Amino acid sequence: MIITIDGPAGAGKSTVARSLARRLGFMFLDTGAMYRAVTLSAVRHGLDWNDAEALVRLAGQVRIYLDDDSVWLDGEDVTDAIRTTQITSQVKYAANNPGVREQLVAQQRATVEGKSVVTEGRDQGTVVFPQAELKIFLTAGPEERARRRLLDLQARGEEITLEEVLAKQNARDASDAGRDVGPLVAAADAVHLVTDGHTLDQVIAEIEALARSRMTAADATGS
Ligand code: DC
């Protein structure tokens, strides 16, 4: 079974997807981490952001490995290094590059081959796994998302204000929604969930119930 969770930054996708995967005994795939890992590698190699071809070549060369808790880039644990504000503001070069997306989409499909997975990102239900049995589009209001992100960044020791987080978030939302390939958009058959005013535990429980009822339905029809 494939469950996709798409939506904007800060809606709670990672927390929800990771926890749901654990409860269901499924694999968890954080596809944003893959775009971040390519970006980190590009920064370290001093790549020129105007050289789109070089970025595609790099995406084909780097070895990205994800497990439930960590992200590895060419054998190094980069779990924290990919989440700085620098990488967050530069990740658009990888995310908006069609050649990079092609490489990472192929890698995402290969990673989950034959497995049950909860995968999260922007294009999982639309482009990568259009056949997914359950698609969730998770959102929250911009201020709520910025507040969550601020807490997250402060916990990592970054000094940043709510206004700065909100401005960067707005820029990233516009970039994610506006790109030609794999834009942030809900699949036609996605279930829309708004997380404002709900605890993430409530949201997880709601998606788990949906997943279990679809599993039961699939068992009953033998599909
Ligand atoms: O979910 P995140 O913040 O870690 O994602 C980092 C960036 O990667 C985000 O700006 C959008 C992009 N992304 C994407 O384009 N497609 C995905 N499937 C996942 C993330």
Side-chain angles (χ1 to χ4, degrees):
M1 180 182 207
I2 296 179
I3 301 175
T4 60
I5 303 187
D6 291 304
K13 294 189 305 292
S14 289
T15 310
V16 168
R18 179 179 279 111
S19 172
L20 183 69
R22 239 175 236 150
R23 288 195 194 188
L24 296 170
F26 287 10
M27 177 187 176
F28 162 60
L29 185 66
D30 173 359
T31 60
M34 300 171 82
Y35 290 92
R36 288 172 179 274
V38 169
T39 305
L40 178 64
S41 184
V43 168
R44 289 180 171 178
H45 284 91
L47 238 69
D48 174 359
W49 291 126
N50 293 316
D51 191 348
E53 281 305 312
L55 197 56
V56 177
R57 274 197 303 279
L58 184 74
Q61 286 161 1
V62 290
R63 283 176 302 117
I64 301 168
Y65 173 76
L66 308 175
D67 61 28
D68 282 0
D69 302 306
S70 311
V71 182
W72 303 81
L73 171 66
D74 293 327
E76 179 193 342
D77 183 346
V78 294
T79 312
D80 293 327
I82 60 168
R83 307 227 171 256
T84 61
T85 39
Q86 184 204 4
I87 298 301
T88 302
S89 57
Q90 292 179 325
V91 70
K92 60 177 182 262
Y93 297 106
N96 291 348
N97 183 315
V100 171
R101 297 199 76 85
E102 202 179 309
Q103 308 253 13
L104 295 187
V105 165
Q107 211 172 313
Q108 289 156 20
R109 290 183 181 141
T111 305
V112 311
E113 182 78 46
K115 298 187 183 116
S116 282
V117 65
V118 181
T119 175
E120 62 111 332
R122 305 293 188 285
D123 57 349
Q124 299 299 286
T126 48
V127 174
V128 189
F129 303 109
Q131 79 285 17
E133 285 88 347
L134 176 58
K135 301 178 185 177
I136 305 290
F137 196 75
L138 201 65
T139 54
E143 284 80 17
E144 175 69 24
R145 294 194 280 124
R147 265 193 298 276
R148 286 186 196 148
R149 181 138 202 105
L150 180 68
L151 290 177
D152 201 42
L153 290 170
Q154 285 174 336
R156 288 170 206 283
E158 289 208 26
E159 284 185 23
I160 190 161
T161 65
L162 182 65
E163 290 67 32
E164 285 168 327
V165 174
L166 194 55
K168 282 175 198 283
Q169 180 181 280
N170 287 340
R172 201 146 67 99
D173 283 354
S175 168
D176 278 347
R179 71 172 152 261
D180 294 333
V181 185
L184 169 64
V185 61
D189 51 350
V191 176
H192 290 246
L193 293 178
V194 182
T195 62
D196 299 70
H198 298 273
T199 65
L200 290 183
D201 266 349
Q202 290 171 324
V203 176
I204 294 159
E206 188 170 349
I207 304 176
E208 185 182 4
L210 278 171
R212 292 201 186 277
S213 78
R214 295 210 180 174
M215 281 192 250
T216 312
D219 281 350
T221 58
S223 61

